[in-house]
Amino acid sequence: MQKTVLAVGAHPDDIEFLYSGTLLLLKRQGWAIHMWNLANGSAGSKTLSAEAIVAKRWEEARSSARIPGATMHPPLFQDLGIFYDAPSIARVSSVVRAIDPSIILTHPPSDYMEDHENTCRLIVTAAIAKGVPNYPVDPPCEAKDGPVALYHAPPLGCRTGLNEPVVPTLFVDIGSVVEEKLRMLMAHESQMEWLRQTQTMTSLEEVVLAESRNVGKLSGVFQCAEAFTPHDHRGYCPENFKPLEEALGADVFYKPRT
């Protein structure tokens, strides 16, 4: 099995909030890790121009990726400009084919904003298109036959945009890497003031630690955790293909819904 994982977020810092701990654990197990924010952060400032904040957020994203030694892929879209349409599917699918991951970590289908939801839709379709030779991608890239397993993180707070609870089923113990997770997040310096102004977050460290502990409580076994719900295997991989669970072993706990 090819040991490559692709973490995809809508915006710079989404990966760090939601699944950077899992990436760090996979890196320890010898996996090649790839990070990709589909949007460039163009709307992420009330004081800088779009061009200035895009350049700043790209450098911050690269700084974050250097902490675990990840390959960072450049964004394709503007903030609030991620749409589920044929040209976007073709562009996203080309990158997914080129990376050819065995694991994809991404947003859930239902989230509090459409950039997140459309990122999920694009990546889910691209994972199918990865192995479909007759689907044309942009730029052209040969189809890849390797299986891929998709894992959806819940939204922050485990609630949808309609305030409905999201109940994940797979939990990852990130207690041993939580400090590195914080370092990755804090590389996004430009977002401190933005999140304080727009989402009343007074301390990103406190938010991430509180979220990790809350998810840990949901697991019932871990103190600090990240969570996922695996995508259905049909069209992507064999039913028994569970690379995340196999790679992380005792750091993973499956909690079926009752």
Side-chain angles (χ1 to χ4, degrees), residues 10-82:
H11 312 104
D13 76 20
D14 284 340
I15 291 172
E16 288 79 0
F17 268 112
L18 296 171
Y19 21 84
S20 57
T22 301
L23 283 183
L24 288 159
L25 291 171
L26 287 169
K27 181 69 173 182
R28 287 184 178 180
Q29 296 301 318
W31 284 65
I33 57 178
H34 293 251
M35 298 170 62
W36 190 21
N37 306 306
L38 292 195
N40 59 14
S42 58
S45 176
K46 291 190 174 184
T47 57
L48 298 176
S49 67
E51 293 77 12
I53 192 60
V54 164
K56 186 170 183 61
R57 298 200 74 185
W58 173 239
E59 287 307 312
E60 291 171 347
R62 293 177 67 191
S63 294
S64 172
R66 280 193 288 269
I67 292 172
T71 300
M72 173 60 73
H73 297 267
L76 297 179
F77 310 108
Q78 302 285 319
D79 284 3
L80 305 181
I82 303 175

Side-chain angles (χ1 to χ4, degrees), residues 2-248:
Q2 181 169 312
K3 295 172 64 173
T4 302
V5 55
L6 170 61
V8 186
H11 312 104
D13 76 20
D14 284 340
I15 291 172
E16 288 79 0
F17 268 112
L18 296 171
Y19 21 84
S20 57
T22 301
L23 283 183
L24 288 159
L25 291 171
L26 287 169
K27 181 69 173 182
R28 287 184 178 180
Q29 296 301 318
W31 284 65
I33 57 178
H34 293 251
M35 298 170 62
W36 190 21
N37 306 306
L38 292 195
N40 59 14
S42 58
S45 176
K46 291 190 174 184
T47 57
L48 298 176
S49 67
E51 293 77 12
I53 192 60
V54 164
K56 186 170 183 61
R57 298 200 74 185
W58 173 239
E59 287 307 312
E60 291 171 347
R62 293 177 67 191
S63 294
S64 172
R66 280 193 288 269
I67 292 172
T71 300
M72 173 60 73
H73 297 267
L76 297 179
F77 310 108
Q78 302 285 319
D79 284 3
L80 305 181
I82 303 175
F83 301 116
Y84 186 76
D85 55 26
S88 299
I89 295 169
R91 295 176 70 191
V92 171
S93 297
S94 180
V95 176
V96 172
R97 281 187 183 180
I99 298 169
D100 191 19
S102 299
I103 294 174
I104 294 178
L105 311 177
T106 193
H107 292 289
S110 182
D111 210 323
Y112 70 89
M113 68 172 303
E114 289 195 1
D115 271 0
H116 292 191
E117 295 179 343
N118 286 335
T119 292
C120 172
R121 296 183 70 195
L122 287 167
I123 289 298
V124 167
T125 301
I128 284 276
K130 181 174 82 74
V132 180
N134 287 343
Y135 178 74
V137 301
D138 178 25
C141 184
E142 183 179 358
K144 305 292 174 57
D145 287 331
V148 57
L150 293 101
Y151 298 85
H152 300 279
L156 279 176
C158 291
R159 304 193 79 81
T160 71
L162 297 179
N163 209 30
E164 299 164 331
V166 175
V167 183
T169 58
L170 199 69
F171 296 86
V172 177
D173 182 1
I174 63 166
S176 65
V177 294
V178 71
E179 294 300 325
E180 288 177 272
K181 175 184 174 78
L182 288 171
R183 285 178 55 212
M184 291 178 68
L185 181 64
M186 298 308 291
H188 294 273
E189 296 177 357
S190 68
Q191 292 312 285
M192 307 305 160
E193 186 61 27
W194 171 257
L195 292 173
R196 290 187 187 102
Q197 292 174 346
T198 62
Q199 298 187 32
T200 64
M201 292 184 184
T202 57
S203 169
L204 295 187
E205 300 100 317
E206 290 178 6
V207 169
V208 169
L209 285 172
E211 181 75 4
S212 299
R213 289 166 182 156
N214 287 337
V215 174
K217 288 179 181 178
L218 283 178
S219 76
V221 295
F222 300 138
Q223 183 175 4
C224 289
E226 292 174 347
F228 301 93
T229 298
H231 199 88
D232 189 87
H233 71 281
R234 290 171 294 179
Y236 305 92
C237 61
E239 186 173 5
N240 63 352
F241 186 68
K242 301 181 184 300
L244 181 60
E245 296 91 322
E246 293 173 4
L248 299 186

